[in-house]
Amino acid sequence: MSAYQPGSWALSGSESWRCLWWWVLACGVAVGSGDPWMSAEACRSSCSCSSTRISCVDPEPGISSFPSLQSDAEMENITDIYIANQNGFSSINDKDLHHYKNLRNLTVTNSRLTYVSKLAFENNLKLQYLNLKDNNLSSLSWRIFKHLNISYLILSGNPLRCSCENMWIKLLLGEEADTQELRCTEDGGARKMLSSLTLPNCEVPMATVSPSKTSVKEGENLELSCTTSGVPAPELIWKMLLASNYEIETSGQISVLRLSNLSSLDHNSKISCIAGNIVGEKESSLQLDILFPPKITKLSDAIPDHHWCIPFSVAGNPAPLFQWYRNEEVVTEDDYIMTMIHDVTEREYHGCLQLDNPTHINNGRYRLVVTNEFGMDQKEVDAHFMKQPWDDVGPDYYEQPSDTPTVNPPEDRVAVYVVVGIAAVAFTGFLLMLVILKFGGNSKFGIKGCVLFQRIPVEVVSR
Ligand SMILES: *[C@@H]1O[C@H](CO)[C@@H](O)[C@H](O)[C@H]1NC(C)=O
Ligand SMILES: *[C@@H]1O[C@H](CO)[C@@H](O)[C@H](O)[C@H]1NC(C)=O
Ligand SMILES: *[C@@H]1O[C@H](CO)[C@@H](O)[C@H](O)[C@H]1NC(C)=O
Ligand SMILES: *[C@@H]1O[C@H](CO)[C@@H](O)[C@H](O)[C@H]1NC(C)=O
Ligand SMILES: *[C@@H]1O[C@H](CO)[C@@H](O)[C@H](O)[C@H]1NC(C)=O
C-alpha cells in the first residue's frame, strides 16, 4: 500500500484522506491489529472491565444482573467476575453467564443473591472458584455443580436452612464447612453448625447393576437389573448408547433393562444405572462383552512404508487367530513377514501383514483367514512388491506397484505453481499501478470526490 501516494490520486486536503480511508475499508484491508469500532463502553457504570476481568463494586447506581459485553469474543476472554455490594442483585438465571465460557472465578458477595438456577453454570465448564459469601441463599441444589470441577465453594453468611436439600454441602465440604463457619437455620429459627446437621431419611442413594459381569453371544438376549436404596426415594436412569433393541421397566426401587438380539456393534459399550435424589447420586455400570465370529472389515493393497504393509481391520470377540496364505500356500511368519496389530479399538483390530524388504518372490495373491470359536472369515488381495527383472529397474531396491503410473514428486509441481503464482500477482500489481497513475493524473477522470476510485474499473473496461 505504501507505494501509492495519496497525491497521485489528484485529490486534495481532508477529502482525499476521507476517501483513502473509505477505499482502504472497501478493499477490506485490515488496518493494524485493533478494531477501531469495537467499543469498550459496554461495561456498566457500577463496574470496571478489563480484557479478562469484570468487577462491579459500586452500590450506586448498582446492577441487578450480570453485565453483558459488546461481543461474544469479549465475553469469552473474561476469566474473572467480581460482584459486591449490589442490593438489587438477587438471582443467577439460566442464560446469564452463557457467553462467559472461560469463566474461572466468580464472586457474588454482600448482595441479595437468593436464587441460582440449576442451569446457571451450564456453559461455564472451567468454573473453579465460586464465592457466594454474605447473600440471601436459603438452599442450593447439588445439580447446579454436577458437571463442574469446583475447587472452592464459599457459602458462609447465607441463611441456609437445616434441610435435606442442603445436606450435600456438608458432605462436599467436610471439615471445610467448619473452617467457613457455615451455619444453618432450623425450622424454629435456631442456628447450628452445618457440620453437625443430621437428618433422618436424608442420604445419598445406592445403585447396583446386576449381573456385574456378563458375556453373551451376538443375537441373544440379556436382562439387567438395577436396584437402589435411599431416602428420599431416588429416580433411576439408565445411561447408554446402544445399537441393540431394548426396553426398560421400572417399578419402585428396581429397574429392569431388557436387551434383545444383541448386536456385536455394542461389544465393549458401557451401560450405567444412575440413582439420584436431592442429596446426590450414585452410578453403577457394566461393560458389555458380546461374543461374535470374526469379520474382516478391511483388507487393502500393499503400501510401502518403513516396511511394506498389507493393511487390515478385523472385528471379533474373542480375539481371532490370523493365518495368511500366499497363492494358497501357508505363509510362515518370521522376522521378515509377520502379522502386526497396531491399534485395538472397541471391537476391531487394525494392523498389517508386515513384510521386510520383499522381492518379486513375495508377489502373489494373499488370503487372510481369521477364526475364533464362533466362526471364521476370509478375504483376498493381490500384492506386487517389485518390478520384474526384465522391466527397467530404477535405482531403488523396491518400487511402486508397477500398475501405478509414475508421477513427478508432488513437491516439484507445487514449487512450479508457487513461482507462476508469484509472477502473476506481481504482474497484476504492476498493471494496476500503471492504470492508477495514468488515470489519476488525467482530468477527464478527475471528478471530485470518491467517485474517481469507484469509476476506474468501469472506464478501464470501456476502453
Ligand atoms: C481475547 O484474548 C486474546 C488473547 O489474549 C486477544 O488476542 C484477543 O484480542 C482478545 N479478544 C477480545 C475481543 O478482547
Ligand atoms: C481466583 O480468585 C482467587 C481468590 O481471589 C485467586 O487466588 C486466584 O488467583 C484467582 N484465579 C484466577 C484464575 O483468576
Ligand atoms: C431473602 O430470601 C427470601 C426467600 O428465601 C425472600 O423471601 C426475602 O425477601 C429475601 N430477602 C431479601 C432482602 O432479598
Ligand atoms: C478437576 O480439578 C482437579 C484439580 O483442581 C484436577 O486434578 C482434575 O483433573 C480435574 N478433573 C476434571 C474432570 O477436570
Ligand atoms: C437381529 O439383528 C440382526 C441385525 O443385527 C437382524 O438381521 C435380525 O433380523 C435380527 N433378528 C431378529 C429376530 O430381530
Side-chain angles (χ1 to χ4, degrees):
M1 287 304 305
S2 57
Y4 305 144
Q5 295 300 317
S8 68
W9 292 349
L11 282 170
S12 60
S14 64
E15 181 140 61
S16 71
W17 283 109
R18 196 155 54 84
C19 286
L20 166 62
W21 188 228
W22 214 95
W23 196 69
V24 163
L25 258 189
C27 288
V29 176
V31 188
S33 56
D35 188 344
W37 290 275
M38 190 185 290
S39 133
E41 293 312 307
C43 199
R44 304 249 194 98
S45 48
S46 285
C47 308
S48 64
C49 306
S50 75
S51 59
T52 60
R53 190 168 196 270
I54 297 176
S55 161
C56 309
V57 297
D58 295 341
E60 294 299 334
I63 54 169
S64 61
S65 61
F66 289 103
S68 135
L69 305 183
Q70 193 94 346
S71 70
D72 289 1
E74 280 176 276
M75 290 192 270
E76 277 176 22
N77 273 4
I78 300 290
T79 58
D80 229 293
I81 297 182
Y82 187 94
I83 287 173
N85 318 322
Q86 303 299 320
N87 265 335
F89 198 100
S90 65
S91 63
I92 305 180
N93 301 304
D94 284 0
K95 297 281 179 188
D96 289 359
L97 289 167
H98 190 78
H99 294 291
Y100 293 102
K101 266 192 217 164
N102 291 305
L103 187 62
R104 289 175 192 281
N105 274 13
L106 175 64
T107 298
V108 177
T109 187
N110 196 25
S111 299
R112 288 276 169 78
L113 188 61
T114 301
Y115 170 76
V116 181
S117 98
K118 286 205 173 75
L119 299 178
F121 307 125
E122 192 189 16
N123 219 16
N124 313 103
L125 300 180
K126 298 187 179 162
L127 190 60
Q128 281 179 357
Y129 174 96
L130 183 61
N131 181 352
L132 303 177
K133 199 176 162 191
D134 297 329
N135 281 291
N136 187 33
L137 291 166
S138 57
S139 68
L140 207 56
S141 166
W142 63 269
R143 292 188 194 272
I144 298 171
F145 308 99
K146 185 182 161 181
H147 60 299
L148 300 178
N149 196 0
I150 297 269
S151 343
Y152 295 95
L153 177 62
I154 301 170
L155 289 171
S156 51
N158 282 283
L160 293 173
R161 276 198 310 269
C162 297
S163 64
C164 188
E165 219 179 341
N166 290 330
M167 183 63 96
W168 72 273
I169 302 174
K170 167 189 158 175
L171 300 177
L172 175 81
L173 294 181
E175 289 176 7
E176 168 70 16
D178 280 340
T179 315
Q180 288 186 28
E181 297 200 29
L182 276 190
R183 289 168 208 277
C184 65
T185 312
E186 294 187 305
D187 283 345
R191 283 168 68 72
K192 65 176 185 184
M193 297 303 285
L194 184 72
S195 59
S196 64
L197 177 64
T198 51
L199 291 171
N201 303 330
C202 179
E203 58 195 41
V204 179
M206 290 301 303
T208 315
V209 169
S210 65
S212 60
K213 227 172 146 45
T214 175
S215 290
V216 200
K217 272 164 71 180
E218 174 183 42
E220 289 188 346
N221 303 335
L222 174 65
E223 192 173 294
L224 299 174
S225 66
C226 178
T227 48
T228 177
S229 64
V231 269
E235 191 188 7
L236 282 176
I237 294 169
W238 291 94
K239 195 170 83 179
M240 63 217 161
L241 203 63
L242 296 177
S244 311
N245 295 327
Y246 62 86
E247 55 184 45
I248 293 169
E249 198 181 304
T250 305
S251 75
Q253 309 224 323
I254 297 184
S255 181
V256 175
L257 171 68
R258 289 192 189 89
L259 301 155
S260 53
N261 191 14
L262 275 169
S263 163
S264 65
L265 295 173
D266 292 333
H267 175 54
N268 273 337
S269 293
K270 186 177 160 192
I271 296 182
S272 302
C273 168
I274 299 167
N277 67 12
I278 53 170
V279 193
E281 69 177 18
K282 278 275 167 59
E283 177 176 327
S284 171
S285 56
L286 119 163
Q287 202 169 29
L288 284 177
D289 185 47
I290 300 174
L291 304 164
F292 61 102
K295 177 146 189 61
I296 301 174
T297 53
K298 182 180 102 173
L299 181 65
S300 4
D301 290 338
I303 43 175
D305 195 0
H306 187 56
H307 304 280
W308 277 82
C309 163
I310 300 180
F312 60 77
S313 296
V314 175
N317 181 40
L321 291 174
F322 288 75
Q323 178 64 63
W324 294 87
Y325 296 84
R326 187 180 69 86
N327 298 338
E328 297 311 316
E329 274 181 40
V330 171
V331 171
T332 314
E333 300 199 13
D334 55 24
D335 287 350
Y336 297 95
I337 301 183
M338 58 183 135
T339 304
M340 296 288 288
I341 305 290
H342 295 302
D343 190 22
V344 182
T345 58
E346 256 119 59
R347 53 190 297 278
E348 278 187 321
Y349 300 84
H350 306 278
C352 288
L353 176 64
Q354 177 180 304
L355 299 102
D356 210 3
N357 291 340
T359 66
H360 65 276
I361 294 170
N362 301 99
N363 291 349
R365 189 153 187 80
Y366 282 79
R367 183 158 61 97
L368 170 61
V369 179
V370 284
T371 43
N372 70 11
E373 58 194 283
F374 297 99
M376 62 88 74
D377 192 19
Q378 57 181 327
K379 272 205 166 74
E380 293 184 328
V381 67
D382 281 321
H384 195 102
F385 298 105
M386 195 187 164
K387 287 184 176 179
Q388 300 301 328
W390 51 83
D391 290 341
D392 179 26
V393 181
D396 286 346
Y397 179 56
Y398 47 70
E399 302 224 328
Q400 301 277 345
S402 61
D403 51 351
T404 315
T406 325
V407 288
N408 290 334
E411 294 84 354
D412 288 1
R413 280 177 291 158
V414 170
V416 170
Y417 290 145
V418 168
V419 169
V420 171
I422 289 173
V425 169
F427 185 64
T428 312
F430 176 68
L431 277 186
L432 209 73
M433 201 167 123
L434 271 187
V435 168
I436 289 174
L437 286 176
K438 180 161 168 55
F439 296 134
N442 188 338
S443 64
K444 192 166 93 185
F445 299 101
I447 301 158
K448 252 198 165 350
C450 295
V451 182
L452 169 70
F453 304 104
Q454 289 159 359
R455 285 182 65 138
I456 283 176
V458 177
E459 298 297 338
V460 168
V461 168
S462 69
R463 275 198 135 206

